[in-house]
Amino acid sequence: MKKVLKAIAMLFVVVAIVFAAGCAGKTGNMGNEDQENETQGNNDQLQPVNPEISANVTNNTTEANETIEKGQVVTKADSGKTISLKKGENFTISLREDPSAGYLWKLNLSSGLSILDDEYIEGLNPEHLEGVPGTHLWVIEATAPGSQKVNGIYKRTWENITGTEEKFTLNVEVE
C-alpha cells in the first residue's frame, strides 16, 4: 500500500513539474498580439492615430494597392453647409459612429453623386475593450453637374424614425 501511495505521489510531482514547465514556457503572444508592434522603437511614445484624418482611403472596388485621393474632408461640423466641386472630383465624409451600440449612419445621395469607398475605422482602443466607437468614412465622387445633396440619419437600424435622431446634410454644387 505504501508503494502505491509513493507511486501516486511521485506521479503527482511529475505532472506538477510538467504543468509548471508548460505554463512558464513562452508559447507565442497568447493574447498579446499587439505587444510586438507597441514595443518597437521608443516605449515612452506611441504614435497617436487620428481616424478623422487618414493619409488615404483604400478603394475597395479597385486593386488593393490603388488609393483614391479623397479631396475635401467634410465632418459633422459641416452639416448644412455647401461645398463646390468639379465633375469627377472626390470628397470624403467623416462621421463618428458607434456600431457596437447599434448606431449607424445611413446616407442618401442625390443621383449626381456616387460612393467610391465606404470604410469604418475603429477608434483608439489601448485597453482592447469591446465596443469602442470609431469613424465612418465615405469617399464620394461628383458624377453629374448641378445641385446635389447628401442626407444622413444616425440611428439604430431596428428602431423607427422618431424625428429626434441626429441628422447630417450637405449641399454639393458640381460644375
Side-chain angles (χ1 to χ4, degrees):
M1 176 78 166
K2 287 185 179 182
K3 288 184 180 184
V4 171
L5 289 176
K6 282 185 181 181
I8 291 174
M10 189 63 119
L11 182 63
F12 279 127
V13 170
V14 170
V15 169
I17 292 171
V18 170
F19 180 73
C23 289
K26 186 173 181 179
T27 59
N29 287 335
M30 295 288 290
N32 295 319
E33 288 83 5
D34 296 329
Q35 183 178 3
E36 183 178 310
N37 291 337
E38 292 176 0
T39 58
Q40 289 178 350
N42 185 346
N43 290 341
D44 296 330
Q45 294 182 354
L46 293 176
Q47 292 297 322
V49 176
N50 186 349
E52 301 260 338
I53 307 171
S54 60
N56 56 42
V57 178
T58 302
N59 179 358
N60 292 331
T61 61
T62 61
E63 294 182 23
N65 293 334
E66 187 175 340
T67 58
I68 299 173
E69 287 298 322
K70 63 183 182 175
Q72 301 179 56
V73 177
V74 178
T75 67
K76 180 71 171 113
D78 298 312
S79 183
K81 295 183 180 177
T82 300
I83 63 170
S84 296
L85 298 172
K86 293 183 177 159
K87 182 180 172 187
E89 287 185 330
N90 301 334
F91 66 98
T92 299
I93 296 177
S94 174
L95 298 172
R96 297 291 292 161
E97 193 173 74
D98 192 356
S100 66
Y103 286 96
L104 302 171
W105 281 100
K106 169 72 173 146
L107 295 186
N108 290 308
L109 307 168
S110 59
S111 61
L113 299 174
S114 176
I115 294 177
L116 298 178
D117 195 18
D118 180 338
E119 178 181 16
Y120 176 78
I121 301 171
E122 186 176 285
L124 294 176
N125 191 1
E127 296 179 20
H128 305 290
L129 302 173
E130 294 292 326
V132 175
T135 303
H136 200 137
L137 301 171
W138 296 266
V139 178
I140 300 173
E141 180 181 20
T143 58
S147 295
Q148 308 298 334
K149 193 164 200 151
V150 177
N151 288 311
I153 186 166
Y154 186 61
K155 69 177 213 62
R156 290 178 165 147
T157 56
W158 63 87
E159 294 180 341
N160 293 324
I161 296 175
T162 64
T164 60
E165 293 82 13
E166 192 173 345
K167 294 183 173 80
F168 174 84
T169 56
L170 182 69
N171 300 304
V172 183
E173 293 298 326
V174 182
E175 297 176 20

